[in-house]
């Protein structure tokens, strides 16, 4: 029952059925605290709350996980999820600090590109456009090395935005062209097209943008 309940919860989590996943994950934590799956169930219970946008509840569970299981192999994912919760609650400094912990302590993490994206987003929101651009470039390059197409496309879209907001139209257009050369069917394509319109209008390429 221990293993079956854990597998049920994680399977529902992995297939996006997050409301259904919460009960078996919560029950596993209560019924099997000494299970070999206990640490993983603890993490997924918190991450699953994040997936449902239950920000405060997710933050509490993830904080407890980070404190209770400091040596967990899931720590980089827990820190990333906690940083995401902070960002959703506009807790910018806390988000930046958690993302930086991943970059400093888990340099080989599979999600290092996403962690740096969070740093870029915080810097963008707080008006530090030049530093934000630098973070998005690092995230894009890391994503491309890892073959993470979605992350690379997202980072390029952000680069179109932040360079344009700095009035660097030529650079913004170069990011725009790179995006549509490499990721024309990305889920970020519509947002990238909109982000590039001010730049293209400045460079007499409005019809291309439209």
């Amino acid at each position: 029952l221990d293993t079956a309940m854990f597998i049920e919860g994680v399977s529902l989590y992995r297939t996006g059925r997050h409301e259904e996943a919460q009960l078996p994950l919560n029950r596993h934590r209560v019924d099997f605290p000494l299970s070999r799956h206990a640490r993983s169930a603890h993490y997924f219970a918190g991450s699953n709350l994040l997936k449902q946008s239950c920000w405060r509840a997710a933050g509490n569970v993830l904080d407890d996980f980070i404190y209770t299981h400091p040596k967990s192999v899931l720590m980089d994912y827990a820190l990333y999820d906690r940083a995401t919760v902070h960002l959703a609650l506009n807790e910018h400094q806390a988000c930046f600090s958690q993302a930086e912990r991943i970059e400093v302590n888990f340099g080989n993490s599979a999600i290092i590109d996403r962690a740096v994206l969070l740093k870029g987003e915080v810097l963008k929101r707080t008006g530090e456009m030049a530093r934000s651009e630098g973070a998005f470039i690092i995230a894009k390059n890391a994503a491309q090395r890892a073959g993470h197409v979605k992350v690379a496309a997202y980072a390029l879209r952000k680069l179109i935005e932040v360079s344009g907001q700095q009035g660097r139209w030529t650079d913004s257009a170069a990011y725009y062209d790179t995006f549509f050369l490499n990721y024309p069917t990305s889920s970020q394509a519509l947002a990238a097209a909109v982000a590039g319109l001010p730049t293209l209008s400045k460079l007499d390429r409005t019809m291309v943008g439209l």
Side-chain angles (χ1 to χ4, degrees):
L1 182 58
D2 164 8
T3 301
M5 188 179 295
F6 173 73
I7 290 174
E8 177 190 11
V10 176
S11 296
L12 290 166
Y13 172 97
R14 293 292 191 193
T15 53
R17 296 163 63 181
H18 297 294
E19 289 187 13
E20 296 173 70
Q22 201 66 51
L23 179 59
L25 290 171
N26 288 346
R27 281 189 58 197
H28 191 279
R29 291 189 62 203
V30 172
D31 293 350
F32 302 103
L34 301 180
S35 166
R36 65 190 179 94
H37 304 300
R39 290 186 181 187
S40 296
H42 193 166
Y43 162 71
F44 281 109
S47 184
N48 195 62
L49 287 165
L50 178 155
K51 299 294 187 183
Q52 300 172 83
S53 301
C54 300
W55 307 119
R56 296 293 182 189
N60 289 337
V61 176
L62 290 166
D63 280 341
D64 186 50
F65 175 87
I66 291 167
Y67 177 79
T68 307
H69 308 296
K71 301 297 184 182
S72 171
V73 296
L74 293 169
M75 183 54 66
D76 51 342
Y77 286 86
L79 290 171
Y80 176 79
D81 283 351
R82 189 63 182 97
T84 301
V85 170
H86 282 308
L87 186 66
L89 296 173
N90 294 315
E91 297 166 354
H92 295 136
Q93 185 55 53
C95 174
F96 191 93
S97 296
Q98 295 284 35
E100 196 160 49
R101 283 181 64 184
I102 300 171
E103 195 175 11
V104 171
N105 298 320
F106 302 92
N108 294 321
S109 171
I111 57 171
I112 192 72
D113 49 353
R114 288 193 278 162
V116 181
L117 270 184
L118 286 179
K119 292 176 63 178
E121 185 62 35
V122 168
L123 293 166
K124 180 176 181 291
R125 291 189 183 189
T126 54
E128 297 190 55
M129 293 301 173
R131 290 182 63 199
S132 174
E133 185 174 356
F136 289 135
I137 290 172
I138 293 170
K140 174 185 69 70
N141 292 341
Q144 289 174 333
R145 287 193 299 270
H148 297 164
V149 173
K150 290 183 179 179
V151 178
Y154 185 89
L156 262 175
R157 170 204 149 187
K158 289 294 183 177
L159 285 167
I160 296 168
E161 293 177 6
V162 295
S163 56
Q165 289 168 357
Q166 295 173 77
R168 295 190 5 257
W169 312 119
T170 302
D171 291 332
S172 183
Y175 291 134
Y176 179 96
D177 291 336
T178 301
F179 181 99
F180 284 102
L181 177 65
N182 293 284
Y183 309 109
T185 61
S186 166
S187 61
Q188 297 296 319
L190 292 177
V194 172
L197 276 175
T199 289
L200 296 181
S201 68
K202 293 287 184 180
L203 298 177
D204 295 325
R205 295 177 58 190
T206 302
M207 293 309 298
V208 173
L210 291 175

